[in-house]
Amino acid sequence: MRIVPISFLRRGGIFGLSKAGRRGATACRKGSGLVLHGLVGQINAGTSPADAPALFCAGACVKNPKRQPCCRSTGADRMNATTVNAHRSGHDSDRIDRNRRQVRRWLAVVLVALAVLVLVGGATRLTGSGLSITEWKPIHGVIPPLTAAEWQEEFELYKRIPQYEQINKGMTVDEFKSIFWWEWAHRLIARSIGFVFAVPLVFFWFTGRIEKRLRWPLAGLLALGGFQGFIGWWMVSSGLAERVSVSQYRLATHLTIACLIFALTMWIMRALAPHSEDAPPTAGARRMAGIIACTAIFQIYLGALVAGLHAGLTYNTWPLMDGALVPGGLFVQQPWWINLFENPKTVQFVHRLGAYVLFALTLIHLVSSLRAAPETTHARRALVLFGLVCLQATIGILTLVWQVPLAWALAHQGGALVVLGFAIAHWRGFYGEFPREIADD
């Protein structure tokens, strides 16, 4: 049996077939137009003349077989239409794979950029640089001071805020530059991420590479990123009038939204990737994975409160805190709940408890998964997740005991992102890949 491409038939002319073939093609044209797809336009050279009309009508029959006079009866006709459908399905699958791979690569770049932004933001906070730029200029702020006069002007603006008067009084212009560059870099990276996200999004959208179900979620992520820029300035403004640092409430809000953007980006990226077909090890494994992911985000929020209150610089012992497992003086402020946000001792203690809870959850999840189905991908991911949580806890303890050195504090913040990202990917693994949308031709 020999397969002849449709291009060969075109060179000979379709009317070079039998009379039956001509009548079949004419019938298709009268029905709703002869549809010959280059990709699937093939005909069996050994086919009898009687079968030729069905082969030529296959493209039209796929569209609407009830309207095609030549596509209504024989099993051979249906078999030929099925073959065409298989070719088209394979073509659509290849196209979807290619598009999803491109979108995944783009989102991976976004994830790396977000991680860099969070780390630079952490360095900005730890070096006391966050209030060095006292004005919000979304466009003009891209260009830093270039002359001595411009540097002096920027420095004079900084001298007006309480942080300079109470902490950095007597600072020179050169010393001011060292804190200015951290904040400027943080803002520049944030603006750059807007372009890294928006430009490819527009390109993929208008070239049809983004599936319909993802268009508005991705547009929503872009909008959330823009809102995050406003939150950043709202945070900075809290330290320009009456405080020498930013509000811990606003800092926690800013970091948590950044981590939500990171988590949602990871969720979408993993949903576009192939997954194993392994069944969940237990009935509650997927629910537990979601609880772990949400706990990781909440733990990051608690860590931001610790950072905002500089609570990590006190009670630098472990496992005891102030000489006890449960220290006294946790609820000395009134009302009692305000201690959870404004008492440095209480905030640090709650952050420690959050770490213990996360450790316990991942351990329980690991043990139950290994007992039920140790050979599954889900169980292996649970093992990796538990290992990451243990490593992050170790870094956190060392950071506390060594009184928050810059490098270890940044490692702790970066480790939080790694744990969160893997927890989200692990959770998404229980749902698998997004169903594929087959576009209509």
Side-chain angles (χ1 to χ4, degrees):
M1 184 177 289
R2 185 164 57 91
I3 302 299
V4 181
I6 195 67
S7 58
F8 174 81
L9 297 176
R10 288 197 185 102
R11 290 197 295 272
I14 66 170
F15 292 101
L17 295 174
S18 66
K19 291 182 181 180
R22 293 199 298 271
R23 286 195 299 272
T26 303
C28 279
R29 288 198 299 273
K30 289 181 179 179
S32 66
L34 178 60
V35 181
L36 298 176
H37 295 285
L39 180 67
V40 300
Q42 297 179 338
I43 184 168
N44 186 342
T47 303
S48 66
D51 290 334
L55 289 171
F56 271 100
C57 291
C61 291
V62 171
K63 270 290 189 183
N64 197 343
K66 294 182 179 180
R67 294 184 57 190
Q68 312 309 326
C70 60
C71 304
R72 291 182 181 171
S73 55
T74 69
D77 295 342
R78 290 190 294 272
M79 182 177 65
N80 288 324
T82 302
T83 302
V84 171
N85 270 328
H87 278 293
R88 292 180 61 194
S89 177
H91 174 57
D92 284 340
S93 180
D94 290 342
R95 175 178 52 80
I96 291 173
D97 285 340
R98 183 175 61 254
N99 291 343
R100 287 189 169 187
R101 186 164 53 251
Q102 292 175 358
V103 173
R104 286 201 310 271
R105 289 172 178 170
W106 160 53
L107 293 178
V109 172
V110 172
L111 284 174
V112 172
L114 287 170
V116 172
L117 178 64
V118 171
L119 288 177
V120 173
T124 301
R125 173 184 54 80
L126 290 165
T127 56
S129 307
L131 299 177
S132 58
I133 301 178
T134 60
E135 295 180 334
W136 190 33
K137 298 178 180 178
I139 304 300
H140 299 293
V142 174
I143 302 175
L146 300 176
T147 66
E150 290 176 347
W151 276 112
Q152 188 62 42
E153 179 183 356
E154 195 72 39
F155 187 36
E156 292 299 327
L157 292 174
Y158 177 69
K159 287 182 176 181
R160 298 176 184 176
I161 68 173
Q163 186 185 76
Y164 173 81
E165 288 293 333
Q166 299 180 35
I167 298 178
N168 291 328
K169 193 173 182 65
M171 172 185 281
T172 65
V173 174
D174 287 338
E175 291 171 334
F176 169 71
K177 289 180 182 180
S178 66
I179 64 172
F180 176 92
W181 285 120
W182 277 114
E183 176 65 9
W184 180 83
H186 183 56
R187 296 190 186 192
L188 180 65
I189 295 171
R191 293 182 178 100
S192 300
I193 290 177
F195 285 100
V196 169
F197 196 96
V199 174
L201 174 62
V202 172
F203 172 76
F204 288 143
W205 189 311
F206 286 102
T207 56
R209 288 172 169 82
I210 292 181
E211 299 162 31
K212 291 181 180 179
R213 70 160 58 84
L214 293 179
R215 291 176 180 176
W216 291 114
L218 288 172
L221 267 181
L222 179 62
L224 185 59
F227 178 68
Q228 171 73 336
F230 166 76
I231 292 296
W233 173 248
W234 176 65
M235 176 190 69
V236 170
S237 65
S238 66
L240 299 179
E242 299 176 355
R243 302 171 57 101
V244 296
S245 61
V246 299
S247 163
Q248 74 272 21
Y249 296 104
R250 301 187 186 188
L251 173 63
T253 301
H254 188 51
L255 181 59
T256 302
I257 292 177
C259 290
L260 283 175
I261 295 173
F262 183 88
L264 292 172
T265 303
M266 175 65 78
W267 179 271
I268 294 174
M269 188 187 78
R270 289 295 298 139
L272 295 175
H275 289 261
S276 71
E277 300 297 329
D278 294 342
T282 64
R286 183 167 70 178
R287 186 184 309 109
M288 178 62 86
I291 292 173
I292 290 171
C294 294
T295 304
I297 293 179
F298 184 64
Q299 179 68 351
I300 290 174
Y301 170 80
L302 294 175
L305 291 178
V306 171
L309 292 171
H310 305 286
L313 297 174
T314 59
Y315 309 106
N316 302 106
T317 58
W318 187 87
L320 301 182
M321 180 178 178
D322 198 18
L325 288 175
V326 181
L330 295 177
F331 297 100
V332 295
Q333 300 181 25
Q334 296 298 326
W336 67 267
W337 54 265
I338 204 70
N339 292 276
L340 300 174
F341 303 96
E342 298 185 3
N343 185 338
K345 176 184 277 190
T346 308
V347 169
Q348 188 195 124
F349 181 70
V350 172
H351 186 50
R352 292 188 185 205
L353 291 181
Y356 300 148
V357 169
L358 186 59
F359 175 85
L361 289 175
T362 53
L363 179 59
I364 293 170
H365 183 54
L366 171 63
V367 172
S368 62
S369 298
L370 289 178
R371 283 181 175 177
E375 300 301 324
T376 62
T377 303
H378 305 299
R380 289 192 292 270
R381 285 200 311 266
L383 176 60
V384 174
L385 180 58
F386 177 71
L388 289 174
V389 169
C390 290
L391 178 61
Q392 170 68 352
T394 302
I395 295 173
I397 292 169
L398 293 176
T399 302
L400 175 70
V401 172
W402 292 340
Q403 299 185 11
V404 197
L406 177 61
W408 283 92
L410 290 179
H412 189 50
Q413 187 158 322
L417 274 184
V418 173
V419 170
L420 173 61
F422 195 87
I424 293 295
H426 176 57
W427 185 19
R428 179 67 223 187
F430 288 96
Y431 292 88
E433 186 179 6
F434 277 143
R436 292 165 175 259
E437 297 177 352
I438 303 300
D440 295 330
D441 289 339

